[in-house]
Amino acid sequence: MKEVVLFFSACFLFLTGCNSAIVEDSNQPEDIQNIQVQTVERSGKTAVLLEDAVLRNCYCALTDENGEKAWVSLTEEYPLKRGDLVLVLKNEGDTVRVFVPTGDTTESLYGEISDSILSEKEEDLRQGNMANAANQTAYRSINGEAAESLTGYVKILSRDGTWCQVQPVAGGDEQTFWVPDESLSFSIDSTVMDREP
């Protein structure tokens, strides 16, 4: 997920430098295409990738100072890794439209991926590389001293038996902690904004 955050940061910095006039600018870069679409709410269902894959037909949303979203199509494809969690938004034949959560950005990444490499089974979700902690006690080591309470998305760095070594996603905190895996939620279902042509 670190790569996803870096991708968004680069995308956001580049696009904000182009300012809001990009929507009307016919000289915009070739890899970005703004499309006039309707913004809709979709219920996202958590799924995990069972193998490495490529996200195709990617797009993102930028939010202006008034809170309005501008939908931007990207010509690049984006690699995803086995264990990445996504939110399935819409079935489209053999593919599904997904939202890639990062937990640490107001921007977003959407795209299409084959539904054959996704699983919504609880036992598969629990092998994902991201989870949600809700006021969970974190420890410096396995069965060690309590360190602090974690809330929000965490990256799963490693596993040891029934324990997970995690790192908070938000805030740039690079500290790592250990938490019992039973205290984490690997279901991150939520309603997200999406575009509708």
Side-chain angles (χ1 to χ4, degrees):
M1 284 300 176
K2 184 174 183 180
E3 294 85 354
V4 175
V5 174
L6 291 174
F7 170 81
F8 286 133
S9 298
C11 181
F12 178 73
L13 290 173
F14 174 76
L15 291 174
T16 53
C18 294
N19 73 41
S20 60
I22 193 171
V23 175
E24 304 295 333
D25 186 3
S26 61
N27 297 320
Q28 59 190 320
E30 293 179 8
D31 64 336
I32 298 173
Q33 305 167 12
N34 274 289
I35 298 176
Q36 298 298 325
V37 293
Q38 180 180 3
T39 298
V40 297
E41 286 188 354
R42 295 196 197 281
S43 297
K45 183 72 174 169
T46 311
V48 63
L49 270 74
L50 301 176
E51 59 187 66
D52 293 352
V54 175
L55 189 68
R56 303 182 192 284
N57 299 321
C58 300
Y59 57 99
C60 64
L62 299 180
T63 306
D64 66 18
E65 63 276 1
N66 299 318
E68 296 295 321
K69 288 190 180 297
W71 294 97
V72 180
S73 291
L74 305 171
T75 57
E76 297 177 18
E77 295 178 342
Y78 189 77
L80 295 175
K81 295 184 177 181
R82 182 177 188 267
D84 284 349
L85 296 184
V86 297
L87 294 178
V88 175
L89 303 179
K90 187 176 182 183
N91 292 317
E92 299 178 328
D94 293 337
T95 63
V96 290
R97 185 183 308 183
V98 299
F99 169 76
V100 182
T102 65
D104 195 32
T105 178
T106 56
E107 304 315 320
S108 53
L109 179 64
Y110 301 76
E112 296 174 2
I113 199 166
S114 171
D115 65 352
S116 65
I117 60 168
L118 294 175
S119 174
E120 296 180 3
K121 296 179 181 176
E122 176 67 20
E123 60 267 28
D124 292 330
L125 292 179
R126 298 199 72 78
Q127 299 306 308
N129 57 22
M130 179 186 258
N132 191 29
N135 295 316
Q136 298 302 321
T137 302
Y139 301 85
R140 297 283 178 206
S141 60
I142 296 174
N143 291 317
E145 175 187 352
E148 60 182 75
S149 180
L150 289 180
T151 296
Y153 288 125
V154 293
K155 290 185 287 187
I156 310 298
L157 303 177
S158 66
R159 289 177 165 86
D160 189 338
T162 59
W163 288 76
C164 293
Q165 184 183 33
V166 302
Q167 183 178 56
V169 172
D173 188 351
E174 296 189 2
Q175 293 186 78
T176 63
F177 305 96
W178 287 90
V179 295
D181 66 356
E182 64 184 15
S183 68
L184 297 173
S185 173
F186 290 85
S187 175
I188 56 174
D189 294 2
S190 63
T191 299
V192 298
M193 304 309 290
D194 191 17
R195 72 181 191 185
E196 186 66 55

